[in-house]
Amino acid sequence: MSLSRREVLRLGGLAACAAVAACASPRPAAPGDLDLIVAAYRELQIGTNRPSPARAKALAALDEPAGRFDAAMNLTGGALWPDLPFRLDTSTVGHLYYRLRTVAVAWPTPGSAMSARAELPQRISVALELLYRNQYHEQLPERGNWYLYEIGVPYLLLQILVTLGDRVAAPDRERYLRPVLRFVADPNRRTSTGAVETGANRADKALIAVVSGALAGDAARVAAGIAAVTDTAGNGQASVIRPVTVGDGFHPDGSFLQHDRVPYSGHYGLVLLKAMAALLRVTSAVQDPALRLTPRVRDQIIHTVADVFEPFVADGAVMEPIRGRMLSRQDETGRDAGQQLVSSVALLAKSGAEPDRTQLAGLAARWIADGADAADPRIAGGVPEVEHAEALLGDATVPATPPPPIHRVFSQMDRMVHRTARWSASLGLSSTRITRYEAINGQNKHGWFTGDGVLYLFLPTQRTHYSDAYWPTVDATLLPSTTEKASPPPPLLTDRPTTPNAFAGGVRFDAGHGAHGLDFTSQDGTLTAKKAWFFTSDAVLCLGAGITDRSGAPIRTTVENRNLGENATTRLLIDGELGPTLPGPTITRVSPRWFHLDGIAGYVLLDPTPTSVTVLREDRTGSWSDIDTGEDTRGTAVRYTRRYQQLRLEHGVNPADATYAWAVLPGAGADDTWTTPGLMEALGSGKDHGHGNGDKTPGGTEAARGGDGARAGTRVGIKPWGDRPGGHPAGVEPRDVAGLGPPGRQGASAFG
């Protein structure tokens, strides 16, 4: 590729210099290396024709939209599709290239309904020319979302070009590559701002540089893409495999951040994993060492699967608190993210050596089995992804790696995971380091309180709970375990707001026990509370103290707000009496002892202070477009209705040092739940509850992280209170759940 003086002046600045440096001296490649990269990337789009019933289903799932998009495509009018007019911004460009990519991939995929269409490549080529002239070319300024110019559209365009192969004439291919070479001039930097790329964006640009370089016949560009993975140009500072302690990337404790302070293992981490798996695959056969990744890079990426991603998978789905604003994306639920993880692991295993390959196969086998659900028959990925998974598992049955009980603290992203043999849980917290929420690009429009101490409960009996239209329909002002005001939610901020308090964290005692705390202040600063959670193999003890507000709005803490599904009549017991099974008015109970929601959990109130509890069974309706209006992600306006069971504690107006204490018994039966109040009590009284006797410091909660606010002898837990023949409820042992001692002794806290 050559650049004219006019093009250099037009590109301007750093991006132009990088383009000249990358393209001025093409590097000779080993014979066939660049062709091998292109062929391998083409295979990643269309597969290898490995027949199976699952592949046949995936093929049908490809044929339907491809046929629909092709039938509606108009090559003579002012737009390819009437609902997507040409615009010189980012409002339609991603959708246009996505539709054309769907048609283009279907044509060479063996067995597809489109594969017999001899005229189809010509139609696609005409459409590609129209898009180049009207929508995406090298003379455009970047308007709107930079991502579509520099990552989103380049990916789709490259996939179209590799699938069409030599059906696109060389001069045309060279022209269509020009905007990619301009907008991804240097994989180390963002063209729009000159900022150094990090994390998932760097991995994406590395892959784009490698594939576009191979298509352009430019080995130097391919080498630049490979070098970008470990940031050779920046002496490794932005390497995607270098552990970091602040900002984007993998952290030593298994955390993954993107956008500086957003926990994102469940999206951008997956994006990075997918890009790296593809890079390893497309360069695996090349001869030139400068054009392929090293075994060290491969092994470090493989290591992240068990360390970073595996803990946050429950029943085949990726847990909510590590998915950031993607909670609001209709086509990216936790189950979708779980399928993406399986696909990436199956592809990554192709580049792995033993015993890594077998270990990856065991994890994939477990996730596939756990994610299987008759109520969710969607295919786990496209044709190539199905082939990769089946090839990994092989003809013989690969034993699924059983999920061991774990309690892990991911302190560098204010997250944790608690997994038992029967249920899993996680918390969404925030601090001075980690944002309350991310709400940008029109997404996550109900994300106000997702970092305020949400307790997420994952049950094998409710595998689709969070994926079944939960976020469009839930009352997002009443998320479980949060303490909030009964008033309009605060304005959504786009700068990823943090909190004024440093404390959010916890300790692990062993694989079955841990304690976590949060020094909470509302976004407007009027509401404060000290919150703590103690995890055992059978219960989560939720404690709150120092709940104080001066806004004049009623304050409430949500015990539960469970998605029961459509028209569910799930039985609710309140102190043994049948509660509402159908939607109706709220019910108020004063100081009830326990609740039981059939098939879900028992809830035992432990605070001796008289408490008013609101019980509501309600149907709620919403659409994905209510929570995502993004240009390239916008949800549909289809209305969904789901039934919810809500339990909440009422603290009244302007509370001062209010408290709460309850235990959640996931999966417990009614008998176990009603006997539990006689076996549990919250140690401490009034405003103590192990939070530093209600003073302004986080107190005992601070001890969970070893802060200076810890008080000697402060303890919170579950202890014997009466006897029950035949054992203890739901397996809860008559012992202290957690002891939070003075600073320096947290590691010695006893559970027995």
Side-chain angles (χ1 to χ4, degrees):
M1 170 188 164
S2 62
L3 296 176
S4 69
R5 178 176 178 274
R6 176 175 297 178
E7 287 174 308
V8 171
L9 291 174
R10 175 176 48 76
L11 289 175
L14 180 61
C17 295
V20 172
C23 304
S25 303
R27 170 195 177 97
D33 274 353
L34 303 187
D35 292 338
L36 288 171
I37 291 171
V38 173
Y41 196 62
R42 186 175 194 267
E43 184 179 293
L44 293 186
Q45 314 311 315
I46 68 173
T48 59
N49 197 17
R50 189 181 194 273
S52 74
R55 183 187 184 276
K57 291 181 180 180
L59 196 59
L62 171 65
D63 280 340
E64 189 280 324
R68 179 162 39 87
F69 293 153
D70 176 59
M73 188 166 65
N74 177 15
L75 302 179
T76 61
L80 289 176
W81 291 278
D83 60 324
L84 295 176
F86 292 144
R87 292 175 179 161
L88 295 180
D89 56 29
T90 56
S91 60
T92 61
V93 62
H95 297 288
L96 287 164
Y97 275 93
Y98 170 77
R99 290 184 184 182
L100 189 60
R101 185 262 180 199
T102 303
V103 177
V105 167
W107 170 68
T109 298
S112 79
M114 315 290 280
S115 60
R117 298 269 305 279
E119 85 289 357
L120 192 56
Q122 178 61 28
R123 281 178 55 79
I124 298 169
S125 296
V126 173
L128 198 56
E129 179 67 22
L130 288 171
L131 288 178
Y132 171 74
R133 292 181 181 179
N134 295 283
Q135 199 69 59
Y136 187 67
H137 53 78
E138 67 275 14
Q139 297 179 6
L140 285 174
E142 289 196 24
R143 296 189 182 100
N145 190 347
W146 71 270
Y147 173 87
L148 287 167
Y149 290 94
E150 300 188 30
I151 294 178
V153 172
Y155 260 142
L156 296 169
L157 176 55
L158 293 177
Q159 290 162 11
I160 294 169
L161 291 176
V162 298
T163 53
L164 290 179
D166 59 9
R167 301 300 289 269
V168 176
D172 292 334
R173 182 169 57 250
E174 187 273 334
R175 282 190 303 112
Y176 300 152
L177 283 172
R178 288 176 191 170
V180 177
L181 301 182
R182 179 210 162 172
F183 291 117
V184 196
D186 179 1
N188 296 287
R189 292 188 176 272
R190 187 160 306 169
T191 300
S192 60
T193 64
V196 174
E197 294 290 12
T198 55
N201 294 333
R202 174 173 284 265
D204 276 337
K205 287 196 168 183
L207 178 55
I208 290 168
V210 166
V211 176
S212 61
L215 280 168
D218 186 352
R221 182 170 172 83
V222 175
I226 295 297
V229 170
T230 53
D231 189 22
T232 301
N235 295 318
Q237 291 301 301
S239 168
V240 300
I241 62 169
R242 174 179 176 265
V244 298
T245 55
V246 294
D248 293 0
F250 295 110
H251 289 242
D253 68 345
S255 298
F256 182 89
L257 299 180
Q258 193 80 29
H259 297 167
D260 190 52
R261 51 185 177 270
V262 188
Y264 256 133
S265 318
H267 175 73
Y268 287 105
L270 293 177
V271 170
L272 189 154
L273 186 69
K274 179 181 180 180
M276 292 303 299
L279 268 170
L280 286 163
R281 184 62 180 167
V282 301
T283 62
S284 60
V286 304
Q287 299 300 307
D288 188 341
L291 306 186
R292 64 173 185 261
L293 295 170
T294 66
R296 181 179 71 89
V297 172
R298 177 199 64 196
D299 294 346
Q300 287 188 251
I301 290 298
I302 288 175
H303 171 74
T304 66
V305 174
D307 185 49
V308 175
F309 301 103
E310 187 276 339
F312 286 100
V313 180
D315 302 309
V318 173
M319 294 184 181
E320 304 302 282
I322 58 164
R323 302 202 307 112
R325 73 182 192 277
M326 307 307 160
L327 300 175
S328 67
R329 284 193 178 182
Q330 184 171 5
D331 61 352
E332 193 174 337
T333 66
R335 287 177 67 81
D336 296 325
Q339 293 171 357
Q340 293 169 20
L341 177 59
V342 169
S343 298
S344 295
V345 167
L347 179 58
L348 186 62
K350 287 179 173 289
S351 302
E354 294 294 354
D356 291 336
R357 181 182 170 86
T358 297
Q359 291 171 350
L360 293 175
L363 289 173
R366 184 223 299 172
W367 295 332
I368 290 170
D370 287 351
D373 193 320
D376 185 11
R378 290 172 295 175
I379 305 299
V383 171
E385 288 78 15
V386 168
E387 291 182 351
H388 297 156
E390 292 190 326
L392 176 62
L393 301 183
D395 296 329
T397 301
V398 175
T401 302
I406 60 169
H407 188 98
R408 277 192 63 181
V409 182
F410 297 83
S411 61
Q412 293 180 340
M413 62 178 182
D414 291 349
R415 296 294 186 266
M416 53 74 61
V417 167
H418 183 79
R419 182 171 67 205
T420 76
R422 296 178 294 108
W423 54 276
S424 300
S426 188
L427 291 169
L429 309 179
S430 53
S431 65
T432 54
R433 304 169 302 279
I434 298 300
T435 186
R436 297 177 186 270
Y437 55 79
E438 183 179 60
I440 60 173
N441 300 334
Q443 299 165 32
N444 203 23
K445 297 179 77 66
H446 290 177
W448 312 287
F449 305 130
T450 50
D452 287 2
V454 183
L455 174 62
Y456 294 95
L457 179 62
F458 303 90
L459 299 168
T461 56
Q462 277 197 311
R463 291 180 177 179
T464 62
H465 176 264
Y466 296 106
S467 298
D468 181 23
Y470 178 81
W471 293 106
T473 58
V474 70
D475 184 344
T477 67
L478 291 166
L479 297 177
S481 198
T482 61
T483 300
E484 308 292 354
K485 290 177 281 192
S487 62
L492 282 174
L493 305 178
T494 59
D495 60 351
R496 305 177 184 92
T498 55
T499 79
N501 306 319
F503 178 72
V507 291
R508 172 190 182 275
F509 179 75
D510 60 22
H513 304 84
H516 296 261
L518 173 67
D519 187 6
F520 170 69
T521 299
S522 61
Q523 183 170 301
D524 67 0
T526 64
L527 172 62
T528 58
K530 308 293 188 284
K531 303 171 76 72
W533 300 264
F534 297 85
F535 295 83
T536 76
S537 59
D538 294 284
V540 183
L541 180 62
C542 306
L543 304 179
I547 301 170
T548 301
D549 181 66
R550 49 186 171 79
S551 70
I555 305 302
R556 62 268 183 99
T557 296
T558 302
V559 174
E560 184 59 282
N561 197 359
R562 200 74 184 173
N563 179 6
L564 305 179
E566 289 187 88
N567 303 316
T569 57
T570 307
R571 187 182 71 166
L572 173 70
L573 295 179
I574 308 172
D575 285 341
E577 298 181 0
L578 186 64
T581 58
L582 296 174
T586 58
I587 297 173
T588 301
R589 293 293 181 93
V590 178
S591 298
R593 298 301 303 276
W594 61 274
F595 299 84
H596 182 263
L597 196 52
D598 192 35
I600 296 173
Y603 308 85
V604 179
L605 302 189
L606 302 171
D607 196 330
T609 306
T611 305
S612 176
V613 181
T614 296
V615 180
L616 177 62
R617 178 73 59 97
E618 66 172 342
D619 280 346
R620 293 185 55 82
T621 300
S623 70
W624 288 97
S625 61
D626 294 337
I627 59 176
D628 182 1
T629 59
E631 286 182 343
D632 59 328
T633 62
R634 182 182 298 109
T636 67
V638 176
R639 307 293 284 174
Y640 297 87
T641 298
R642 296 294 182 267
R643 188 159 293 170
Y644 283 84
Q645 181 61 62
Q646 190 182 114
L647 305 172
R648 67 177 189 261
L649 310 177
E650 305 293 348
H651 303 296
V653 174
N654 295 331
D657 289 334
T659 63
Y660 64 73
W662 79 83
V664 184
L665 309 176
D671 288 346
D672 287 332
T673 302
W674 78 261
T675 57
T676 297
L679 293 167
M680 287 186 179
E681 72 175 53
L683 300 184
S685 61
K687 58 192 176 184
D688 183 2
H689 288 320
H691 291 275
N693 297 313
D695 65 12
K696 297 298 184 181
T697 66
T701 310
E702 185 82 33
R705 190 159 179 157
D708 294 337
R711 304 291 186 94
T714 298
R715 298 178 66 81
V716 179
I718 300 172
K719 74 171 186 179
W721 187 15
D723 296 312
R724 174 194 173 204
H728 305 292
V732 176
E733 297 295 331
R735 60 185 178 181
D736 284 347
V737 174
L740 297 178
R745 292 188 52 79
Q746 291 74 40
S749 298
F751 284 81

